[in-house]
Structures are given as C-alpha cells and as structure tokens.
Amino acid sequence: MHWASYIGQGCSALMKRDHPWRGYALALFAACGWAAGGLSSKWIFLHAPYVTPEILAAARVCIAAPILGVYLLLFDRKALKVPWSWKNALYLVVFGALAAAGMQFTYFKTISLTNIATAILLEYLAPIFTLAFAVILFKHKLRWQMVVGVITAILGSAIAVGAFAPGGLTITSEGLIWGLTSAFFFALYSVMGAHADKRIQPIGLLFYGLFFAALMWMVVLGPDDIFVVFREERVALIVLAMSLIATILPFGAFLTALRIISPTHTTITSMVEPVIVGIVAAFLFGETLTASLIVGGAIILGSIGWIQLQDTGTG
C-alpha cells in the first residue's frame, strides 16, 4: 500500500473521538508539554533560588486556573457545568487539592533535590501504582501482557535517562521518597481523572482541578509568597509560559486521553517525556543524542505498541 494511504488512514483514525490512537497521540502531546515544564523548572531553581518547589507549584496553578476560567466563560461555558451532588463536589476538591497539587509539588520537589532525569524516572514508576489501583480498587484482572508492558516501559525510561551510566542519576534518600510520592500522586491523578463523572467534560475537570489546587495553595502559602515569582521579569515570563504550555495544554490533553484509553495505557505512553527532553536539549543546546536515549526511546515506543496490540482493557 502506498505511504500516502497509510498516512491518510492514520489521520482518519486520529479524527475519530474514541479511537485508541487518538488517546495515545494526546498522551504524547502531554509528555511534550511536561518536558518543557521540567526543563523550565530546573532553570528557575538554579537562577531564582527564592522560588521553592512549593511556590512554583502554587504559582503555576494560581495563574493557570484564572486563564482557563476566563477562556471557558468566553468560549465554552457548557464545560463549566457540573452535575450537582455531594459526591461530585467532594471528588473535585480531592482531585484538585490533593491529587493535582500533590503531583506537581512532589515532582518539582524531586527535581530540586536530584536532577530532571532522576525525577522523571521516579515519577514514571506511576504505571505500577495505576495498575495496582486498577486491580485492587476496580477489580480488573491482572494480565501478564500489561505487566510486561509496564516493566518494559520503565526499563526503557531508565535507559533513556541514563540510569545505568556513571553519574546518570542523583539519588538521595530524601529525593527517593519524594520521587516515589510523585509517582503515587501521578497515578492518583490519572485514576481519578479517568473515573470522574463522565458528564463532566475533560476541560471542565481540568479547570476545577486547577481551581481547588490554587485555592489550597492560597490557604497554605498565601498570595504574598506565591506571587514572588513576579519579582523578576524573566522568571515571571517563564512561569506564565509554564502555566499555559506545561499545565493547561498538556493536562487538558492528558485528561482527554484518559477518556479514550486506560490510566495505565496513558501513563505508559507519557513516559516518552525523557526522550523528548533529550531531543529538545540536542536541538537547543547542542547536546549529543546518546545511544542510551535512542535505545530507551525505542523500548518505550515498543512498549506502547505492545500494550496497544495486547489491549485487554485492564488498565
């Protein structure tokens, strides 16, 4: 078959709202945004030491929430409608104030204590937790195919970030604890995002998650501490960019992907983030594309293909 036909069929599949490959494409897009956020956060921690992980996590959502809220008020008010029930209200509060806020803070905290490679690798142990949640909480059958996919993807991620190379990882006991905690919160966010009331649109779910996360940080830190990010113009611009490019867009894509494919499938697919970081660093900073990055990326992509072919809906 001609290559144009393959491309045409692929584009047609992605246009179908519930086609699995659309979910994988959205998860890949999310990984691109998060890669940009990881690189930006490391720069901020190095050049603006007054910005702590909790301040950056707070500022990110406190800026993103009103931006998305204004957009929805102007262009998509239906997305703000939530079927009222105490269950939904409590769900959204926990989703935002615990899962969303916890995931972002613990990830930035891990970066500040280790390095981006280590933080990414630890956070992307999340598929282990999502698989455990699926089996324990939702009584999904544990299939060996999914276990193989998860283990292989984690191995690929470890190779991609240079875990087996001298000096590839920077692990301290404190960094390890925070990294594992970030994996737990990432899994919690994924599972809650996938099992929210289906009548709540993904972009609406994202807004309420950001809103309650921002509200929580306002109470915990207060506006004076949070908006210290506006002390320097360049730091303020980077945080503003992170709020859009590394928060609203990727998390919106991720929550939409969760409606199409399972949390385990979605988190595994987003594990290409370290590969994206390496490619971007090569283009922007002239760094060499290492063999480990290429091999690790190939293993991750192979794992994504494997779980799609062996898709049993157990995630």
Side-chain angles (χ1 to χ4, degrees):
M1 185 178 295
H2 195 271
W3 281 108
S5 299
Y6 284 117
I7 296 173
Q9 289 179 4
C11 291
S12 297
L14 290 175
M15 291 301 291
K16 296 178 181 178
R17 291 187 61 84
D18 295 326
H19 194 283
W21 285 112
R22 183 169 180 265
Y24 290 111
L26 288 168
L28 288 171
F29 178 82
C32 292
W34 292 334
L39 291 168
S40 301
S41 65
K42 193 63 177 181
W43 184 93
I44 290 175
F45 295 145
L46 289 173
H47 295 87
Y50 58 88
V51 179
T52 62
E54 55 267 35
I55 288 176
L56 182 57
R60 182 179 176 179
V61 296
C62 286
I63 295 170
I67 290 176
L68 182 57
V70 170
Y71 170 82
L72 293 178
L73 283 173
L74 293 176
F75 302 107
D76 193 4
R77 292 191 179 186
K78 291 182 178 180
L80 293 172
K81 294 182 179 180
V82 175
W84 168 251
S85 70
W86 284 110
K87 179 182 177 181
N88 277 343
L90 180 61
Y91 200 96
L92 292 175
V93 171
V94 174
F95 178 70
L98 182 63
M103 174 182 61
Q104 296 187 44
F105 166 64
T106 53
Y107 177 57
F108 289 146
K109 183 69 174 179
T110 307
I111 289 178
S112 71
L113 293 170
T114 59
N115 56 30
I116 294 178
T118 305
I120 289 175
L121 177 59
L122 291 174
E123 185 179 51
Y124 281 121
L125 296 177
I128 296 175
F129 290 104
T130 55
L131 192 59
F133 287 151
V135 174
I136 297 172
L137 299 180
F138 302 103
K139 309 303 180 184
H140 292 169
K141 185 177 180 181
L142 184 63
R143 302 297 184 97
W144 69 267
Q145 294 96 332
M146 183 59 70
V147 175
V148 169
V150 168
I151 294 175
T152 306
I154 292 174
L155 174 63
S157 180
I159 294 174
V161 302
F164 304 110
L169 297 181
T170 303
I171 297 181
T172 62
S173 57
E174 188 179 5
L176 177 62
I177 292 172
W178 281 110
L180 292 175
T181 305
S182 73
F184 173 81
F185 277 118
F186 186 19
L188 180 63
Y189 184 88
S190 302
V191 171
M192 292 192 71
H195 292 88
D197 191 322
K198 299 304 180 184
R199 293 172 293 178
I200 305 176
Q201 296 184 31
I203 194 170
L205 181 62
L206 172 62
F207 168 73
Y208 287 110
L210 291 172
F211 174 79
F212 286 113
L215 189 62
M216 186 276 294
W217 283 119
M218 281 291 185
V219 173
V220 173
L221 293 180
D224 290 341
D225 285 342
I226 293 173
F227 295 115
V228 73
V229 296
F230 290 103
R231 180 189 297 178
E232 294 182 62
E233 182 178 349
R234 58 178 183 172
V235 174
L237 290 174
I238 291 175
V239 176
L240 284 170
M242 287 179 67
S243 299
L244 176 62
I245 299 172
T247 306
I248 295 176
L249 295 179
F251 280 105
F254 187 78
L255 290 173
T256 304
L258 289 170
R259 296 290 177 90
I260 303 172
I261 55 180
S262 75
T264 305
H265 288 63
T266 309
T267 51
I268 288 177
T269 304
S270 63
M271 290 174 73
V272 297
E273 182 182 345
V275 181
I276 296 170
V277 170
I279 294 174
V280 171
F283 278 99
L284 294 183
F285 309 117
E287 296 184 8
T288 304
L289 285 175
T290 63
S292 62
L293 183 70
I294 296 172
V295 172
I299 292 175
I300 295 172
L301 292 175
S303 300
I304 296 171
W306 166 263
I307 63 174
Q308 167 61 12
L309 292 174
Q310 305 295 329
D311 190 359
T312 58
T314 62

mmCIF file of all heavy atoms in Angstrom, residues 88-114:
data_model
loop_
_atom_site.group_PDB
_atom_site.id
_atom_site.type_symbol
_atom_site.label_atom_id
_atom_site.label_comp_id
_atom_site.label_asym_id
_atom_site.label_seq_id
_atom_site.Cartn_x
_atom_site.Cartn_y
_atom_site.Cartn_z
ATOM 1 N N ASN A 88 -19.837 14.477 43.707
ATOM 2 C CA ASN A 88 -19.058 15.201 42.706
ATOM 3 C C ASN A 88 -18.273 16.345 43.332
ATOM 4 O O ASN A 88 -17.116 16.602 42.963
ATOM 5 C CB ASN A 88 -19.972 15.739 41.610
ATOM 6 C CG ASN A 88 -20.278 14.700 40.543
ATOM 7 O OD1 ASN A 88 -19.584 13.691 40.431
ATOM 8 N ND2 ASN A 88 -21.322 14.927 39.765
ATOM 9 N N ALA A 89 -18.902 17.058 44.272
ATOM 10 C CA ALA A 89 -18.224 18.186 44.920
ATOM 11 C C ALA A 89 -16.987 17.720 45.670
ATOM 12 O O ALA A 89 -15.902 18.298 45.539
ATOM 13 C CB ALA A 89 -19.192 18.897 45.864
ATOM 14 N N LEU A 90 -17.137 16.664 46.460
ATOM 15 C CA LEU A 90 -16.005 16.132 47.208
ATOM 16 C C LEU A 90 -14.937 15.591 46.269
ATOM 17 O O LEU A 90 -13.732 15.765 46.499
ATOM 18 C CB LEU A 90 -16.478 15.028 48.158
ATOM 19 C CG LEU A 90 -15.393 14.356 49.015
ATOM 20 C CD1 LEU A 90 -14.716 15.381 49.918
ATOM 21 C CD2 LEU A 90 -15.997 13.220 49.842
ATOM 22 N N TYR A 91 -15.372 14.940 45.201
ATOM 23 C CA TYR A 91 -14.452 14.363 44.225
ATOM 24 C C TYR A 91 -13.562 15.450 43.622
ATOM 25 O O TYR A 91 -12.332 15.294 43.530
ATOM 26 C CB TYR A 91 -15.243 13.660 43.120
ATOM 27 C CG TYR A 91 -14.460 12.652 42.333
ATOM 28 C CD1 TYR A 91 -14.510 11.298 42.656
ATOM 29 C CD2 TYR A 91 -13.663 13.034 41.253
ATOM 30 C CE1 TYR A 91 -13.791 10.356 41.925
ATOM 31 C CE2 TYR A 91 -12.943 12.110 40.522
ATOM 32 C CZ TYR A 91 -13.014 10.763 40.861
ATOM 33 O OH TYR A 91 -12.295 9.841 40.149
ATOM 34 N N LEU A 92 -14.172 16.572 43.222
ATOM 35 C CA LEU A 92 -13.420 17.642 42.582
ATOM 36 C C LEU A 92 -12.454 18.303 43.555
ATOM 37 O O LEU A 92 -11.341 18.678 43.175
ATOM 38 C CB LEU A 92 -14.378 18.683 41.997
ATOM 39 C CG LEU A 92 -15.216 18.211 40.801
ATOM 40 C CD1 LEU A 92 -16.208 19.288 40.393
ATOM 41 C CD2 LEU A 92 -14.315 17.834 39.620
ATOM 42 N N VAL A 93 -12.874 18.455 44.811
ATOM 43 C CA VAL A 93 -11.988 19.041 45.817
ATOM 44 C C VAL A 93 -10.766 18.155 46.037
ATOM 45 O O VAL A 93 -9.621 18.636 46.042
ATOM 46 C CB VAL A 93 -12.734 19.266 47.148
ATOM 47 C CG1 VAL A 93 -11.744 19.670 48.241
ATOM 48 C CG2 VAL A 93 -13.805 20.336 46.990
ATOM 49 N N VAL A 94 -10.982 16.862 46.199
ATOM 50 C CA VAL A 94 -9.869 15.931 46.403
ATOM 51 C C VAL A 94 -9.000 15.856 45.154
ATOM 52 O O VAL A 94 -7.759 15.835 45.237
ATOM 53 C CB VAL A 94 -10.397 14.528 46.779
ATOM 54 C CG1 VAL A 94 -9.254 13.522 46.843
ATOM 55 C CG2 VAL A 94 -11.136 14.577 48.110
ATOM 56 N N PHE A 95 -9.625 15.841 43.990
ATOM 57 C CA PHE A 95 -8.896 15.779 42.725
ATOM 58 C C PHE A 95 -7.944 16.961 42.579
ATOM 59 O O PHE A 95 -6.790 16.801 42.164
ATOM 60 C CB PHE A 95 -9.885 15.748 41.556
ATOM 61 C CG PHE A 95 -9.257 15.726 40.193
ATOM 62 C CD1 PHE A 95 -8.589 14.606 39.742
ATOM 63 C CD2 PHE A 95 -9.328 16.842 39.363
ATOM 64 C CE1 PHE A 95 -7.999 14.584 38.476
ATOM 65 C CE2 PHE A 95 -8.752 16.833 38.107
ATOM 66 C CZ PHE A 95 -8.086 15.698 37.659
ATOM 67 N N GLY A 96 -8.431 18.155 42.926
ATOM 68 C CA GLY A 96 -7.598 19.340 42.778
ATOM 69 C C GLY A 96 -6.631 19.560 43.927
ATOM 70 O O GLY A 96 -5.421 19.675 43.726
ATOM 71 N N ALA A 97 -7.176 19.616 45.162
ATOM 72 C CA ALA A 97 -6.371 19.985 46.332
ATOM 73 C C ALA A 97 -5.388 18.906 46.744
ATOM 74 O O ALA A 97 -4.353 19.207 47.345
ATOM 75 C CB ALA A 97 -7.292 20.334 47.504
ATOM 76 N N LEU A 98 -5.681 17.643 46.427
ATOM 77 C CA LEU A 98 -4.786 16.552 46.815
ATOM 78 C C LEU A 98 -4.023 15.987 45.625
ATOM 79 O O LEU A 98 -2.790 16.041 45.578
ATOM 80 C CB LEU A 98 -5.578 15.438 47.494
ATOM 81 C CG LEU A 98 -4.754 14.241 47.995
ATOM 82 C CD1 LEU A 98 -3.776 14.679 49.077
ATOM 83 C CD2 LEU A 98 -5.668 13.138 48.516
ATOM 84 N N ALA A 99 -4.756 15.461 44.638
ATOM 85 C CA ALA A 99 -4.091 14.778 43.524
ATOM 86 C C ALA A 99 -3.294 15.737 42.643
ATOM 87 O O ALA A 99 -2.096 15.530 42.405
ATOM 88 C CB ALA A 99 -5.125 14.021 42.692
ATOM 89 N N ALA A 100 -3.949 16.799 42.134
ATOM 90 C CA ALA A 100 -3.273 17.729 41.223
ATOM 91 C C ALA A 100 -2.158 18.494 41.933
ATOM 92 O O ALA A 100 -1.024 18.566 41.447
ATOM 93 C CB ALA A 100 -4.285 18.698 40.620
ATOM 94 N N ALA A 101 -2.485 19.091 43.091
ATOM 95 C CA ALA A 101 -1.479 19.862 43.822
ATOM 96 C C ALA A 101 -0.339 18.966 44.297
ATOM 97 O O ALA A 101 0.840 19.336 44.205
ATOM 98 C CB ALA A 101 -2.130 20.567 45.008
ATOM 99 N N GLY A 102 -0.679 17.786 44.787
ATOM 100 C CA GLY A 102 0.345 16.869 45.277
ATOM 101 C C GLY A 102 1.279 16.401 44.178
ATOM 102 O O GLY A 102 2.501 16.334 44.375
ATOM 103 N N MET A 103 0.721 16.102 43.002
ATOM 104 C CA MET A 103 1.538 15.616 41.900
ATOM 105 C C MET A 103 2.557 16.668 41.471
ATOM 106 O O MET A 103 3.745 16.374 41.295
ATOM 107 C CB MET A 103 0.643 15.238 40.719
ATOM 108 C CG MET A 103 1.393 14.860 39.454
ATOM 109 S SD MET A 103 0.292 14.475 38.081
ATOM 110 C CE MET A 103 -0.586 16.014 37.884
ATOM 111 N N GLN A 104 2.111 17.911 41.298
ATOM 112 C CA GLN A 104 3.006 18.952 40.806
ATOM 113 C C GLN A 104 4.061 19.336 41.842
ATOM 114 O O GLN A 104 5.240 19.500 41.519
ATOM 115 C CB GLN A 104 2.184 20.171 40.389
ATOM 116 C CG GLN A 104 1.257 19.880 39.213
ATOM 117 C CD GLN A 104 0.561 21.106 38.693
ATOM 118 O OE1 GLN A 104 1.165 22.157 38.531
ATOM 119 N NE2 GLN A 104 -0.727 20.995 38.412
ATOM 120 N N PHE A 105 3.643 19.456 43.094
ATOM 121 C CA PHE A 105 4.602 19.834 44.135
ATOM 122 C C PHE A 105 5.680 18.769 44.318
ATOM 123 O O PHE A 105 6.876 19.077 44.374
ATOM 124 C CB PHE A 105 3.880 20.075 45.461
ATOM 125 C CG PHE A 105 4.821 20.137 46.633
ATOM 126 C CD1 PHE A 105 5.770 21.140 46.726
ATOM 127 C CD2 PHE A 105 4.777 19.169 47.626
ATOM 128 C CE1 PHE A 105 6.660 21.191 47.800
ATOM 129 C CE2 PHE A 105 5.656 19.217 48.702
ATOM 130 C CZ PHE A 105 6.600 20.224 48.780
ATOM 131 N N THR A 106 5.280 17.503 44.428
ATOM 132 C CA THR A 106 6.257 16.451 44.682
ATOM 133 C C THR A 106 7.229 16.277 43.511
ATOM 134 O O THR A 106 8.405 15.961 43.712
ATOM 135 C CB THR A 106 5.566 15.107 44.975
ATOM 136 O OG1 THR A 106 4.629 14.802 43.915
ATOM 137 C CG2 THR A 106 4.805 15.167 46.289
ATOM 138 N N TYR A 107 6.751 16.514 42.279
ATOM 139 C CA TYR A 107 7.626 16.428 41.110
ATOM 140 C C TYR A 107 8.684 17.524 41.152
ATOM 141 O O TYR A 107 9.886 17.275 40.985
ATOM 142 C CB TYR A 107 6.801 16.529 39.833
ATOM 143 C CG TYR A 107 7.614 16.528 38.556
ATOM 144 C CD1 TYR A 107 8.479 15.484 38.258
ATOM 145 C CD2 TYR A 107 7.507 17.579 37.643
ATOM 146 C CE1 TYR A 107 9.225 15.475 37.089
ATOM 147 C CE2 TYR A 107 8.240 17.581 36.472
ATOM 148 C CZ TYR A 107 9.096 16.532 36.202
ATOM 149 O OH TYR A 107 9.842 16.534 35.046
ATOM 150 N N PHE A 108 8.262 18.768 41.412
ATOM 151 C CA PHE A 108 9.215 19.874 41.499
ATOM 152 C C PHE A 108 10.162 19.692 42.683
ATOM 153 O O PHE A 108 11.344 20.033 42.604
ATOM 154 C CB PHE A 108 8.473 21.208 41.623
ATOM 155 C CG PHE A 108 7.764 21.628 40.360
ATOM 156 C CD1 PHE A 108 6.571 22.318 40.421
ATOM 157 C CD2 PHE A 108 8.290 21.346 39.118
ATOM 158 C CE1 PHE A 108 5.910 22.712 39.275
ATOM 159 C CE2 PHE A 108 7.643 21.729 37.951
ATOM 160 C CZ PHE A 108 6.450 22.418 38.034
ATOM 161 N N LYS A 109 9.631 19.165 43.776
ATOM 162 C CA LYS A 109 10.470 18.918 44.950
ATOM 163 C C LYS A 109 11.557 17.903 44.614
ATOM 164 O O LYS A 109 12.727 18.070 45.017
ATOM 165 C CB LYS A 109 9.604 18.397 46.107
ATOM 166 C CG LYS A 109 10.365 18.179 47.412
ATOM 167 C CD LYS A 109 10.805 19.488 48.030
ATOM 168 C CE LYS A 109 11.423 19.269 49.395
ATOM 169 N NZ LYS A 109 11.881 20.543 50.003
ATOM 170 N N THR A 110 11.201 16.871 43.877
ATOM 171 C CA THR A 110 12.180 15.852 43.489
ATOM 172 C C THR A 110 13.251 16.445 42.581
ATOM 173 O O THR A 110 14.441 16.153 42.726
ATOM 174 C CB THR A 110 11.498 14.672 42.779
ATOM 175 O OG1 THR A 110 10.426 14.186 43.590
ATOM 176 C CG2 THR A 110 12.486 13.541 42.534
ATOM 177 N N ILE A 111 12.828 17.299 41.633
ATOM 178 C CA ILE A 111 13.790 17.954 40.743
ATOM 179 C C ILE A 111 14.771 18.795 41.550
ATOM 180 O O ILE A 111 15.988 18.791 41.295
ATOM 181 C CB ILE A 111 13.065 18.834 39.703
ATOM 182 C CG1 ILE A 111 12.341 17.957 38.677
ATOM 183 C CG2 ILE A 111 14.062 19.742 38.973
ATOM 184 C CD1 ILE A 111 11.553 18.748 37.650
ATOM 185 N N SER A 112 14.265 19.521 42.539
ATOM 186 C CA SER A 112 15.126 20.392 43.346
ATOM 187 C C SER A 112 16.131 19.597 44.176
ATOM 188 O O SER A 112 17.210 20.098 44.503
ATOM 189 C CB SER A 112 14.276 21.277 44.266
ATOM 190 O OG SER A 112 13.679 20.524 45.309
ATOM 191 N N LEU A 113 15.799 18.364 44.515
ATOM 192 C CA LEU A 113 16.666 17.537 45.346
ATOM 193 C C LEU A 113 17.586 16.635 44.536
ATOM 194 O O LEU A 113 18.598 16.146 45.052
ATOM 195 C CB LEU A 113 15.824 16.668 46.291
ATOM 196 C CG LEU A 113 15.037 17.409 47.372
ATOM 197 C CD1 LEU A 113 14.072 16.454 48.066
ATOM 198 C CD2 LEU A 113 15.983 18.035 48.385
ATOM 199 N N THR A 114 17.226 16.370 43.272
ATOM 200 C CA THR A 114 18.003 15.438 42.450
ATOM 201 C C THR A 114 18.367 16.123 41.129
ATOM 202 O O THR A 114 19.082 17.109 41.124
ATOM 203 C CB THR A 114 17.200 14.149 42.204
ATOM 204 O OG1 THR A 114 15.955 14.464 41.545
ATOM 205 C CG2 THR A 114 16.880 13.448 43.511
#
